[in-house]
Amino acid sequence: MTDDLRAERAARFLRYLGPDPASWVRPSDTDHDVLVVGGGQAGLTVGFGLRRAGVARTSVIDAAAPGGTGVWTTIARMRHLRTPKQWPEPELGFPELSFRAWYEDAHGPAAYDEIGRIPRLVWAEYVAWLEQALAVPVRHRTRLVSVEPAADHLVVRLDVDGVAVTETTRSLVLANGVEGTGGAHLPDFLRALPASLVAHTGDRIDFAALAGRVVGVLGAGASALDACGTALEAGAREVHLFVRRPDLIVQGPGAVHGAGLGARENFHRLPDADRWRAKALLGRAGRSCTLESVQRAAAHPGFRVHLDAGWHDAAVDGDLLRVTAADGEHLLDFAIAGTGYQYDPRTRTDLAGIADRIALWGDVHSPPADLADPGLARFPYLGDGYELTARDPADAGWASRIRVFSAAAGLSFGLPVGDTQGLPTGVPRLVDALARDLYLEDRAVPQEGTPPAAAPGPAPHRDAYAHAIWSGDPDAELV
């Protein structure tokens, strides 16, 4: 499909959809009713959902330049999405917005039937088209710097293409993907090493520079395996995958992530102890990877898997990195850590001003000793509308103005929030919660004066029905 045809299709959808509902939110002095941080697939659909719900003063910002939003062309390295192609995605119930409709327009129904899972770069094209189709304006090159509570709103400091800007909003949505309220998790012994020798899978890595080199990858999840495949395809001489478990946990090609729909969508209603137990046991079971990711790396003769070989230490050795693993010492040209993410708000500069006042799971729930998990304890504890909660009840008013629609909501909601599988139900739930709170807050504000009573007089347009008014006389002739 040409760009012109895609633009025509987007315009046709908007024409059929009709104008957005008029905004019903009480006018205020703030710059926004809702400010959404993150212009990827989650932020786009949240912005669209709010607009269609009559919350017109919604703005979406993203730190990236146009075309660089989200992970699909930057740090995502899988060949295909890991979710089945038939799952509902960001279309929010509009079939003409679905990936299938978009893809069949370009390639025909038979081509859609032939693909197994959706190619990552094709998905990136679809999300770029979705921004156009939804007509959600994204303010690019705009980064959140800090958040400060005020009496009845939030003050946000922004960096707009290098210029410091201060704005206000009644509500804030953090739709910033895998980083959430934290960032990349690195073992302490890797954190102090130079970036010329070590990177996290969440970093932008120059894989072309690894051609002819020996690379070590730590981790057993899909991102670690995808980094192996990408490095080998870029010409790395050897790639050694180090796994602390006795084997890889490999999902077959027909595997579907997560529990059934009922269990997934009601996870946030479970008691805290049940949610904690489920996540703690899932973490102990180990991270899984897809069969496709394993086969991709294993197709290269330079791929080696080290089982029962967690890393204990690493140090610079000349121009190389000397890693001490459970199976001995290894010299590497470069190391990639596929060690996941942490969601402690205290580690983010943009939340530094309020982080100590945000309630974490460790503040709210005390698990039995056999289920203790420091990583889970640092997740933010969210309400059922994705809102932050406060350590001190006096802070509840401003804390609930901040919604976390990202991976940091994982312990509270179970799903990888913001991922494709969480959008169809998660976005409507978030939009409903935001609209509810805006409406109730507006309703609590006293009205200015009382509207005057209607002056007595004839009802308008009474002549249209005057002849049919009952006179009380059953013998009256009908007109």
Side-chain angles (χ1 to χ4, degrees), residues 155-460:
V155 177
V156 292
R157 315 285 181 188
L158 306 175
D159 180 318
V160 183
D161 206 7
V163 178
V165 174
T166 298
E167 296 179 357
T168 56
T169 183
R170 291 177 65 180
S171 294
L172 183 71
V173 176
L174 302 177
N176 51 347
V178 291
E179 288 192 357
T181 56
H185 167 69
L186 279 172
D188 290 339
F189 59 83
L190 291 180
R191 191 176 300 279
L193 295 174
S196 59
L197 292 175
V198 178
H200 187 271
T201 51
D203 296 330
R204 300 193 185 197
I205 301 171
D206 182 5
F207 282 93
L210 302 181
R213 297 191 171 192
V214 177
V215 179
V217 178
L218 176 63
S223 294
L225 267 296
D226 290 334
C228 291
T230 304
L232 289 161
E233 290 164 359
R237 184 170 83 250
E238 298 175 13
V239 172
H240 296 256
L241 178 71
F242 293 84
V243 181
R244 62 186 172 89
R245 297 184 181 277
D247 214 335
L248 295 174
I249 302 173
V250 182
Q251 296 179 353
V256 176
H257 294 272
L261 185 62
R264 293 200 338 256
E265 292 305 321
N266 290 286
F267 185 91
H268 65 289
R269 296 188 171 100
L270 296 176
D272 290 352
D274 292 353
R275 289 189 284 176
W276 181 284
R277 177 180 177 81
K279 282 294 186 180
L281 295 180
L282 182 64
R284 292 179 187 182
R287 299 176 67 195
S288 63
C289 54
T290 63
L291 179 59
E292 180 187 32
S293 295
V294 175
Q295 292 172 331
R296 176 187 180 186
H300 297 266
F303 181 55
R304 296 290 182 270
V305 180
H306 300 245
L307 299 174
D308 289 313
W311 289 4
H312 302 314
D313 199 5
V316 177
D317 188 338
D319 294 332
L320 302 176
L321 184 68
R322 183 179 296 276
V323 168
T324 304
D327 65 347
E329 288 192 343
H330 306 271
L331 283 175
L332 306 171
D333 291 302
F334 194 75
I336 300 173
T339 46
Y341 293 82
Q342 53 77 27
Y343 299 108
D344 186 347
R346 294 168 296 185
T347 63
R348 288 195 68 87
T349 56
D350 50 8
L351 299 179
I354 59 174
D356 288 338
R357 299 160 71 179
I358 295 171
L360 308 181
W361 268 81
D363 300 318
V364 176
H365 179 63
S366 298
D370 63 328
L371 290 177
D373 187 314
L376 292 181
R378 291 190 288 269
F379 271 73
Y381 185 90
L382 305 181
D384 62 8
Y386 300 95
E387 71 272 20
L388 290 176
T389 55
R391 286 179 168 172
D392 184 340
D395 288 334
W398 67 259
S400 64
R401 294 183 183 276
I402 304 175
R403 314 281 172 151
V404 177
F405 197 73
S406 69
L411 179 51
S412 295
F413 282 81
L415 283 170
V417 174
D419 205 352
T420 53
Q421 61 183 300
L423 298 179
T425 52
V427 172
R429 181 185 297 128
L430 172 63
V431 168
D432 179 69
L434 283 162
R436 174 199 65 199
D437 289 354
L438 287 169
Y439 173 76
L440 293 177
E441 184 177 37
D442 285 351
R443 194 169 181 270
V445 176
Q447 298 286 337
E448 294 183 3
T450 304

